[in-house]
Amino acid sequence: MAGTSLEPSIQAIGRALYRRARAHPPALYAGRRQALERAVGDDRLRDALFQFVDVLPQLRDAAAIAAHFNAYLGHFELGGLFGRALRLGTHAWMAPLLRATVARMARLFMVEETEAALAAALSRLARLPAGVSLDALGETVLSEAEADAYAARIVKLLGWLAAARAQRPDISIKLSALTPRFDSIDPAGSVDRVLGRLDPLCDEAARTGASLTLDMENHDSRPLVLAVFRRLAERPGPAPGVALQGYRPDAEADLRSLLELPWLAARPLRVRLVKGAYWDSEVALATQRFWPLPVYTDKAATDAQFERLSALLFGAGERVYPMIASHNLRSLAHALALARSLGRAPDSWEVQMLHGMADPLAAAVIGEGARLRVYLPVGDLVGGIAYLIRRLLENTASTSVLRQTYLEDSPPERLLAPPRPALQEANAGQGFSNAPVSDFTLDASRRAMRDALAAAKRGRDYPLHAALREAASGRWQDSRNPAAPAEVLGRVELAGPAHAARAIRRAVEAFPAWRETSVAERARLSRRVADILHARRHELAAWQVLEVGKAWREADADVAEAIDCWNFYADAAERLAGWRSTRDFPGEANAMRYESLGPTAVIAPWNFPLAILSGMSAAALVCGNPVIMKPATPASINACALHAILLEAGFAPTVAQLLPGDGASLGPLLAGHPDVAAIAFTGSREVGLALLEQAHRTHPQQRRIKRVVCEMGGKNAIIVDEDADLDDAVTHILASAFDYQGQKCSAASRLISVGRVHERLLARLADALASWPLGPPTDPQYRFGPLIGAQAVAKAQRYLEIGRAEGTLVYRGKAPADGHYFAPAILADIQPQHRLAREEIFAPILAVLHAPDFDTALAWANDSDYALTGGVFSRLPEHLDAAQRRFRVGNLYLNRGITGARVGIQPFGGTALSGTGVQAGGEDYLGQFLWSRVVSRNQLRHGHVAGTGSQREGVTRPQARP
Ligand code: NAD
């Protein structure tokens, strides 16, 4: 923080600013004070207003507007225009009226993208006087075509600025709008792609006499913005400016490293210092991912760092041109005091403010002798709405100085008080918490993954466990890389029927001791597995990339889920352990406890090689059941790695056995064997249903009814309602339908569009998909890789032909020649009865159905043999509520992607022919691996009641976690 010697000057300048600024309210507050006070005082109303404004641009007719208006605002007592509009109901002219009101509001903060409107705004700014930085507002860029359009707009705006002879013209560039593939997992590629479009813009800016400033966006893109900035700044010619965000604790380190750039002697470094505009989403996303928060949670900490960074900028002398972007009286007074104390010339730094946010404060700053630049967004109402909402939120947040100054009449002493950060509270969680996925924006994470891939030792042999190998099976299977099938990753010895019989015998022998092992001990081993998985997460993820063709993030998430399974079920088992009383009577003690089932066959699919094998095995083991794990052959090496970790953790080789081999021969042997007590299966419907039949056919020597856990496929639908936010919908559909090439049971394979959204949705989705080439998943620039094998490609090809006959192919990608690649496809005009709408394909083929209205869409979505996952994008609360009530799938996701369920948060599994309806990763799951036993003990002895309460004979409390 600046030295206290500045304090008197800050206070004096601050009071002068305050006096000047207080004289007039900003345009937003003029004439709206009452309405804003109302909105500000009522969080629900504020929230409802923003949600309504958010959806408004996409609503096409009066009925739709009225429905949304009523849904969001109908239950508030509203006066003024909104109140009148509410009473008008669906009157035809309500729509234009509301639109005009919102447009008027938007124009306070932005200008419409026409040359005339911009010229008028520029001449107003010139009279202030103020320079300008334009920001081209728009939708999220999801395709190359959209990125081209953004770049073309910048060129056009540069031309308009030149024609209007704007003062100190500048354009703020959002780098995420220059390529749809702006991803820190691939920094070099992302930077090159951005520069491909940015270089010509730099030339054009230089030619027209404008400067460029790179905006800072969110956590994920920060390293890329800095990298692009460094690359541009290394070159001769004018360097762009760059924004830094005061709410990021690491902004100081970023600034210090920029200050060491060698070229600073020749050209000043232009840094725009902002507080940061993405606080809500940064906190939400980091919390959801269990990542450390990348931003301060304490506003005062941000303010204090803003002052520190200002001091650093000014302290660097003429090498730096500080651009202090704030509407905070204290921050501005601080910067002015610094500049004066250092004798800075007025043209050696500037203040920046957003258009329309604080005109009186802007005038006051100019009055104090500072140079001003106004950040002026241009665009249309649709594109600008997100921006408008951010500004309105900022203006009405309780920490907003503008709100405090103009609505709450805070005294200047309060507004000018030095920021005093509170101590950050450590977030000490208790009990289970999910393992965070890796943050691949960090160099260290990417390096760890690259190193693990390089170190993965190819060509090893994986023999059967010694105890199973009375004689070698002699049958070995090559495990190959699906992206390069000529590459043999290793050889796995396959078990045959004799090995299966031996494994069952050993499990039967091991059962009594394992059943009697304390739950605390079983849980300890389970947590130990989690710890080892954690320590070796990159190595394990690398093997998934190699053996089953997962992209880095997908592989990493699978390892994280596996870790969660071992930890979560350990906790859950401890909660169920021991005797507990059911109902006490004088003279009668009733107690129950859960018991283990016995040897359990775990039959797993290849698509989540660690997580699903882990989930079923961990649940069985912590419940006291020895397991025989039968992995899917395409993921055999991954299974061998997991098995080795179980033994390393301390599970006895008789309690945790691995039986790699062919499912069609080993599966029925395990399922039908009289000594196998339970079968935990996850895989296809065909195999699952057959297993159910086998398991329920009683064998002559059989002494129990087998338990079958059976999780099968899906034909999951996403409904996109007419009013959906397409930026979100397209982003999430892309991930849900095409990540891991659609090879997830939860993947979206039906897209049901409602009404008029259809054409635009399809066009944006196809363009977005076209932006992502396919390639080997070892290289993180490729989001999409190969299918698991040649058979999967052939099956996808067959369904593509069926789809062509049933509907219309609207998009087909390109696939590399070698490897088991299948180019993604989108087929439209599919009808609910078509095979493409009914059968699980397990490939990147999306069937699109076009429903006339939301009810029909819901009916189609439910009309399936499967009921696993589903999704709805809508901004009409009653549609979301209807989906919640009536869209009967195991996991329903509203306004988000439909894959990636997390242990303990979204217990996962379906009903109908998708599964038994008991969800994995949830509280009920362990019940499937246990049976319950009740003991009733009479304690009346000749009229005397023996023992009372907790001292009753035989009843103990549930075992606590050690
Ligand atoms: P799959 O049914 O072909 O194989 C699953 C397991 O069963 C493998 O270990 C396989 O070797 C074994 N198997 C094969 N034939 C068998 C038989 N006759 N008897 C006993 N076992 C046999 O499935 P897959 O291709 O490995 O996985 C993809 C399928 O799994 C998809 O249908 C997908 O939807 C489903 N899946 C479901 C979930 C879920 O949680 N519901 C999760 C992942 C995958």
Side-chain angles (χ1 to χ4, degrees):
M1 212 179 307
T4 44
S5 59
L6 267 189
E7 202 52 46
S9 166
I10 297 173
Q11 295 298 327
I13 295 171
R15 279 170 191 273
L17 286 175
Y18 181 79
R19 269 193 307 279
R20 283 180 199 261
R22 267 291 285 185
H24 314 280
L28 174 66
Y29 295 89
R32 291 187 186 82
R33 187 179 163 122
Q34 224 188 345
L36 280 170
E37 270 171 352
R38 171 88 204 278
V40 159
D42 181 344
D43 282 349
R44 279 178 38 254
L45 174 58
R46 192 167 148 237
D47 196 47
L49 273 170
F50 294 145
Q51 293 197 55
F52 175 67
V53 170
D54 177 53
V55 68
L56 183 64
Q58 203 163 318
L59 304 179
R60 293 281 162 259
D61 54 44
I65 291 187
H68 286 78
F69 195 82
N70 280 321
Y72 287 120
L73 296 161
H75 44 286
F76 292 100
E77 284 288 317
L78 294 177
L81 174 85
F82 278 167
R84 282 201 299 285
L86 195 60
R87 286 187 289 278
L88 283 172
T90 55
H91 200 287
W93 46 269
M94 174 181 167
L97 191 69
L98 279 173
R99 270 177 203 284
T101 304
V102 173
R104 214 170 41 246
M105 196 96 123
R107 270 189 217 103
L108 289 174
F109 296 106
M110 57 187 274
V111 19
E112 270 176 315
E113 196 165 321
T114 65
E115 188 165 8
L118 180 62
L122 290 173
S123 76
R124 279 196 301 278
L125 292 182
R127 284 199 295 278
L128 272 177
V132 71
S133 182
L134 296 184
D135 168 28
L137 293 180
E139 295 171 310
T140 307
V141 163
L142 298 172
S143 64
E144 300 296 340
E146 290 175 0
D148 282 338
Y150 178 79
R153 282 175 72 201
I154 301 294
V155 172
K156 179 186 72 183
L157 292 175
L158 285 169
W160 288 355
L161 282 174
R165 296 179 196 287
Q167 283 186 17
R168 293 185 286 129
D170 180 84
I171 296 198
S172 295
I173 303 283
K174 294 243 172 350
L175 297 186
S176 63
L178 286 174
T179 168
R181 293 161 62 206
F182 192 60
D183 188 346
S184 292
I185 204 168
D186 172 28
S190 297
V191 168
D192 286 345
R193 285 188 287 276
V194 164
L195 288 176
R197 287 199 177 87
L198 189 53
D199 279 338
L201 297 181
C202 290
D203 294 345
E204 187 61 14
R207 201 184 63 74
T208 57
S211 55
L212 298 180
T213 305
L214 310 186
D215 259 330
M216 191 56 85
E217 299 175 62
N218 54 22
H219 170 76
D220 290 358
S221 59
R222 174 187 137 273
L224 296 180
V225 174
L226 292 173
V228 169
F229 176 74
R230 282 168 183 278
R231 281 276 290 277
L232 282 178
E234 276 163 10
R235 304 176 185 174
V242 67
L244 290 180
Q245 296 160 323
Y247 65 15
R248 289 193 65 101
D250 55 11
E252 182 172 337
D254 287 347
L255 176 54
R256 286 187 186 279
S257 81
L258 290 181
L259 288 175
E260 278 164 17
L261 288 173
W263 49 267
L264 280 190
R267 291 166 291 167
L269 169 72
R270 293 170 55 246
V271 176
R272 172 190 295 153
L273 184 58
V274 300
K275 296 231 167 122
Y278 301 83
W279 192 88
D280 282 354
S281 54
E282 294 289 19
V283 170
L285 290 178
T287 311
Q288 288 172 22
R289 294 162 169 174
F290 297 96
W291 285 357
L293 293 187
V295 293
Y296 287 117
T297 48
D298 178 17
K299 174 82 167 61
T302 300
D303 291 343
Q305 161 141 295
F306 196 85
E307 293 190 6
R308 275 198 309 276
L309 296 173
S310 300
L312 264 176
L313 288 172
F314 281 103
E318 303 297 322
R319 295 184 305 150
V320 171
Y321 180 84
M323 305 188 276
I324 305 298
S326 175
H327 311 99
N328 179 302
L329 199 62
R330 161 86 200 182
S331 306
L332 291 170
H334 174 263
L336 277 157
L338 265 174
R340 273 186 208 164
S341 74
L342 295 167
R344 291 290 289 244
D347 63 356
S348 72
W349 72 287
E350 68 185 37
V351 170
Q352 296 195 353
M353 290 194 196
L354 302 176
H355 178 64
M357 277 284 272
D359 313 342
L361 194 56
V365 163
I366 295 170
E368 288 295 315
R371 225 180 185 197
L372 181 78
R373 187 189 299 274
V374 168
Y375 186 93
L376 178 60
V378 290
D380 64 19
L381 201 53
V382 180
I385 219 74
Y387 178 84
L388 168 64
I389 289 174
R390 272 224 306 279
R391 295 290 79 89
L392 287 172
L393 280 170
E394 210 170 305
N395 258 296
T396 51
S398 59
T399 49
S400 151
V401 174
L402 296 175
R403 166 172 161 178
Q404 291 168 1
T405 310
Y406 294 104
L407 292 180
E408 294 170 355
D409 300 321
S410 288
E413 310 76 83
R414 232 181 89 195
L415 299 173
L416 288 167
R420 299 219 183 287
L423 289 175
Q424 301 258 336
E425 278 173 40
N427 194 4
Q430 282 210 326
F432 172 77
S433 114
N434 298 72
V437 293
S438 296
D439 179 356
F440 286 114
T441 66
L442 305 176
D443 273 344
S445 300
R446 292 194 303 276
R447 203 172 326 111
M449 195 65 194
R450 266 197 311 273
D451 291 351
L453 280 163
K457 200 168 168 322
R458 277 78 153 174
R460 270 183 52 195
D461 278 355
Y462 298 84
L464 288 171
H465 189 267
L468 284 181
R469 293 179 95 213
E470 267 172 346
S473 80
R475 290 174 51 237
W476 291 81
Q477 182 191 268
D478 287 344
S479 175
R480 291 169 185 273
N481 179 347
E487 184 185 9
V488 176
L489 300 168
R491 278 198 329 153
V492 181
E493 187 177 12
L494 302 182
H499 302 101
R502 188 167 163 78
I504 295 168
R505 236 179 11 256
R506 282 160 46 90
V508 169
E509 285 159 18
F511 177 48
W514 184 238
R515 179 178 56 194
E516 297 310 321
T517 303
S518 73
V519 173
E521 172 62 7
R522 293 184 218 140
R524 187 186 70 77
L525 297 181
S526 185
R527 292 194 186 99
R528 176 94 188 96
V529 173
D531 291 345
I532 301 174
L533 289 171
H534 196 275
R536 288 170 44 189
R537 63 181 302 165
H538 292 108
E539 172 196 336
L540 294 162
W543 273 105
Q544 297 199 27
V545 171
L546 291 169
E547 194 181 29
V548 298
K550 280 203 174 196
W552 287 19
R553 280 201 183 93
E554 299 285 331
D556 177 75
D558 184 75
V559 182
E561 187 182 334
I563 296 169
D564 288 349
C565 290
W566 293 98
N567 281 326
F568 181 83
Y569 292 131
D571 282 16
E574 283 178 334
R575 283 194 293 275
L576 298 180
W579 289 99
R580 64 198 60 215
S581 69
T582 54
R583 175 90 195 244
D584 294 337
F585 296 107
E588 184 183 85
N590 294 294
M592 65 83 65
R593 66 167 284 165
Y594 292 104
E595 294 273 353
S596 318
L597 295 177
T600 299
V602 171
I603 304 181
W606 48 265
N607 64 337
F608 289 92
L610 285 191
I612 294 183
L613 189 57
S614 283
M616 295 189 289
S617 305
L621 284 167
V622 292
C623 290
N625 307 301
V627 297
I628 300 166
M629 304 190 290
K630 210 306 287 170
T633 38
S636 296
I637 293 184
N638 275 278
C640 290
L642 178 65
H643 185 236
I645 289 171
L646 297 196
L647 301 186
E648 182 185 335
F651 282 103
T654 46
V655 166
Q657 303 188 75
L658 181 72
L659 206 62
D662 174 40
S665 64
L666 296 178
L669 269 179
L670 292 170
H673 196 286
D675 290 335
V676 169
I679 297 124
F681 169 82
T682 305
S684 62
R685 159 176 160 181
E686 183 195 0
V687 174
L689 295 181
L691 271 178
L692 274 167
E693 275 187 30
Q694 281 151 13
H696 289 149
R697 212 174 298 131
T698 337
H699 196 274
Q701 291 114 47
Q702 191 169 326
R703 291 187 155 175
R704 56 164 70 79
I705 297 167
K706 291 178 200 281
R707 216 40 104 62
V708 187
V709 176
C710 189
E711 299 301 319
M712 300 173 289
K715 186 72 197 174
N716 313 302
I718 291 182
I719 297 175
V720 179
D721 203 357
E722 281 200 292
D723 67 350
D725 180 325
L726 288 191
D727 283 355
D728 277 355
V730 171
T731 304
H732 288 297
I733 294 166
L734 199 63
S736 300
F738 299 104
D739 274 348
Y740 196 34
Q741 298 73 261
Q743 301 173 113
K744 300 183 190 177
C745 51
S746 52
S749 60
R750 290 183 290 158
L751 173 62
I752 308 179
S753 62
V754 178
R756 276 188 291 231
V757 82
H758 182 76
E759 300 296 331
R760 177 119 181 85
L761 172 65
L762 264 191
R764 286 196 80 192
L765 183 62
D767 278 353
L769 184 54
S771 307
W772 296 91
L774 276 62
T778 41
D779 181 346
Q781 72 161 300
Y782 296 111
R783 175 175 177 177
F784 305 136
L787 294 191
I788 191 67
Q791 277 183 7
V793 174
K795 177 177 171 191
Q797 193 59 45
R798 282 197 304 280
Y799 273 100
L800 182 66
E801 296 315 318
I802 295 169
R804 276 182 203 271
E806 289 178 335
T808 313
L809 183 68
V810 291
Y811 173 78
R812 184 80 208 274
K814 290 191 193 67
D818 297 329
H820 301 307
Y821 290 96
F822 178 82
I826 301 177
L827 289 128
D829 302 325
I830 297 298
Q831 303 301 319
Q833 71 280 8
H834 283 161
R835 288 183 66 187
L836 233 70
R838 309 204 74 82
E839 297 172 17
E840 187 184 44
I841 306 172
F842 226 57
I845 296 181
L846 184 65
V848 185
L849 293 80
H850 185 186
D853 52 53
F854 189 77
D855 268 351
T856 310
L858 255 189
W860 287 357
N862 275 324
D863 178 17
S864 173
D865 295 347
Y866 296 99
L868 188 51
T869 67
V872 175
F873 285 88
S874 174
R875 283 184 283 193
L876 194 56
E878 71 190 67
H879 283 183
L880 295 173
D881 292 346
Q884 179 152 351
R885 277 194 315 274
R886 287 162 35 208
F887 195 163
R888 292 187 189 285
V889 288
N891 291 75
L892 177 65
Y893 299 90
L894 304 178
N895 289 323
R896 51 151 288 177
I898 68 168
T899 58
R902 291 185 305 163
V903 173
I905 299 173
Q906 292 115 357
F908 181 79
T911 179
L913 293 182
S914 288
T916 51
V918 183
Q919 297 184 298
E923 285 296 323
D924 306 334
Y925 190 67
L926 290 193
Q928 302 186 104
F929 297 87
L930 296 164
W931 61 285
S932 68
R933 190 155 75 85
V934 173
V935 176
S936 298
R937 187 184 289 229
N938 178 17
Q939 292 172 317
L940 274 178
R941 305 269 195 280
H942 297 285
H944 170 70
V945 176
T948 51
S950 60
Q951 287 126 43
R952 278 189 320 273
E953 300 163 49
V955 178
T956 55
R957 297 277 136 226
Q959 277 169 263
R961 198 174 150 166

